Amino acid sequence: MTQTDTVPSIRLSIVVPVKNEAGNVESLVTEIERACSGLGPFEVIYVDDGSTDSTGAILADLRRSRPWLRVVRHARSGGQSAAIRSGVAVARGALVATLDGDGQNDPAFIPALVAALEEGGRGTGLAQGQRVGRKDGRLKTLQSRIANGVRGRILKDATRDTGCGMKVFRRDVYRALPYFDALHRFMPALVAREGYRVVHADVVDRPRFTGRSNYGLFDRLWVGLLDLAGVWWLIRRKRPSPEAVEVAPELRPTTLGRAQL
C-alpha cells in the first residue's frame, strides 16, 4: 500500500495550509480536535508553506502529544492551492476537509459539511462552505463580491462564495481535477465539470485570531481574470467521458490428454 492509498481506519483528513501563522496554530488545532472528535478516526495535515516565523517549531511541539497531527513543509512558498495539493497528496482519508489557518474558518462547521456531502450520496463530490457575516473589512469584502459575481455569471456554478476555505470533498474527485494556481477558488465549477453534484452550507465567518493575511483574493487582478478565462475554456472543452469496462479474457476450451483422463 502506498502513502496515498486510502487507509480504512481514517475517515476524514483535514488539510490546513499555513504561512507565518505562529500565533494561530495552537488555538486552531485545539478547536479542530474538539469539533472533529465525534466523527471517528481523523487526521489533521498542516502544510507549512515556507513559513519564516516559528510556525514550524510550534507544530513540531504540538505533534508530540497528538499522533493524528501530521506536518508537510514547503521549502519555499508555493501559494494556497499548492499547499492544499500537497496536503491532499498525502491524505489517507477518503474524505478531505480544508480550512484556512488564520482562525477565520470555524472548525465547528466541519461535521455539518461532512454530513451534507455524505447525505448527497456518491454522486456528490463537494460540500462548499459559504460565509455569512464577513469579517474581512469593507474593501476585501467588496472585492470578493465583485469577483464572485463575475465568476458566477461566466461559469454559472451556482455558488455564492467560492473563496471560502471551508470545503469537504472526496479525495478521488479532487485528484481528477486539473491542477493550476488558484484551483481552490474554482472547485465548484470544476467538480461539476466532472459530473458530480455540489452542495452548499452557510458557515459563520469570524475575525482572524492574530496577524495579517498572507493569501489575498487574487495576487493581481489580471491573474484572476486569466484563471477565470482558463476555467471557462476547460468547461467548454469538456466532453462526456465514455464508460470504460475492462474486457475479461476469453476462456479457451482445453483438450484433456490421455494422462489426464
Side-chain angles (χ1 to χ4, degrees), residues 219-232:
D219 289 337
R220 292 182 300 275
L221 177 60
W222 69 269
V223 174
L225 292 175
L226 286 175
D227 289 336
L228 180 59
V231 173
W232 176 83

Side-chain angles (χ1 to χ4, degrees), residues 229-252:
V231 173
W232 176 83
W233 181 86
L234 284 170
I235 292 173
R236 294 273 302 208
R237 295 297 297 169
K238 176 66 175 178
R239 295 295 180 266
S241 300
E243 183 179 356
V245 178
E246 183 177 0
V247 179
E250 295 183 5
L251 296 177
R252 297 182 179 180

Side-chain angles (χ1 to χ4, degrees), residues 159-234:
T159 301
R160 185 184 75 242
D161 179 21
T162 63
C164 179
M166 292 205 70
K167 299 172 171 65
V168 175
F169 48 84
R170 300 187 187 278
R171 186 169 61 92
D172 57 346
V173 172
Y174 176 92
R175 293 174 67 180
L177 303 181
Y179 174 73
F180 57 94
D181 193 24
L183 163 63
H184 64 287
R185 297 189 182 277
F186 296 95
M187 279 188 64
L190 292 171
V191 168
R193 175 182 181 266
E194 295 299 319
Y196 291 91
R197 290 186 298 273
V198 177
V199 295
H200 305 86
D202 285 345
V203 299
V204 177
D205 197 33
R206 58 187 186 179
R208 68 169 20 252
F209 291 154
T210 64
R212 61 181 181 83
S213 176
N214 294 291
Y215 297 124
L217 178 64
F218 295 113
D219 289 337
R220 292 182 300 275
L221 177 60
W222 69 269
V223 174
L225 292 175
L226 286 175
D227 289 336
L228 180 59
V231 173
W232 176 83
W233 181 86
L234 284 170

Side-chain angles (χ1 to χ4, degrees), residues 4-245:
T4 57
D5 286 336
T6 300
V7 175
S9 62
I10 300 294
R11 179 187 182 193
L12 177 69
S13 299
I14 300 115
V15 174
V16 187
V18 287
K19 179 182 177 183
N20 295 333
E21 296 286 3
N24 299 320
V25 171
E26 185 170 2
S27 296
L28 188 57
V29 167
T30 300
E31 287 191 334
I32 293 172
E33 181 178 16
R34 184 185 309 123
C36 298
S37 60
L39 293 177
F42 68 91
E43 63 180 0
V44 179
I45 304 169
Y46 261 74
V47 182
D48 181 359
D49 187 31
S51 294
T52 56
D53 64 357
S54 58
T55 294
I58 293 172
L59 285 168
D61 184 61
L62 291 173
R63 287 183 64 198
R64 294 188 179 96
S65 58
R66 295 168 175 83
W68 41 263
L69 179 59
R70 304 168 63 194
V71 179
V72 174
R73 175 169 173 80
H74 289 171
R76 59 184 178 85
S77 178
Q80 190 169 358
S81 282
I84 291 172
R85 186 189 191 200
S86 294
V88 176
V90 300
R92 295 176 294 186
L95 301 183
V96 177
T98 63
L99 70 160
D100 295 340
D102 56 11
Q104 284 195 260
N105 297 152
D106 188 343
F109 290 96
I110 292 177
L113 287 169
V114 171
L117 181 69
E118 293 184 330
E119 288 169 4
R122 191 63 185 84
T124 301
L126 167 68
Q128 171 70 55
Q130 299 192 122
R131 291 167 288 187
V132 294
R134 295 288 299 273
K135 299 296 191 296
D136 283 326
R138 292 182 180 180
L139 178 58
K140 192 170 181 180
T141 298
L142 177 61
Q143 290 176 326
S144 180
R145 286 177 179 172
I146 293 172
N148 277 308
V150 172
R151 187 213 68 256
R153 283 192 294 272
I154 293 175
L155 301 184
K156 296 178 173 56
D157 56 11
T159 301
R160 185 184 75 242
D161 179 21
T162 63
C164 179
M166 292 205 70
K167 299 172 171 65
V168 175
F169 48 84
R170 300 187 187 278
R171 186 169 61 92
D172 57 346
V173 172
Y174 176 92
R175 293 174 67 180
L177 303 181
Y179 174 73
F180 57 94
D181 193 24
L183 163 63
H184 64 287
R185 297 189 182 277
F186 296 95
M187 279 188 64
L190 292 171
V191 168
R193 175 182 181 266
E194 295 299 319
Y196 291 91
R197 290 186 298 273
V198 177
V199 295
H200 305 86
D202 285 345
V203 299
V204 177
D205 197 33
R206 58 187 186 179
R208 68 169 20 252
F209 291 154
T210 64
R212 61 181 181 83
S213 176
N214 294 291
Y215 297 124
L217 178 64
F218 295 113
D219 289 337
R220 292 182 300 275
L221 177 60
W222 69 269
V223 174
L225 292 175
L226 286 175
D227 289 336
L228 180 59
V231 173
W232 176 83
W233 181 86
L234 284 170
I235 292 173
R236 294 273 302 208
R237 295 297 297 169
K238 176 66 175 178
R239 295 295 180 266
S241 300
E243 183 179 356
V245 178

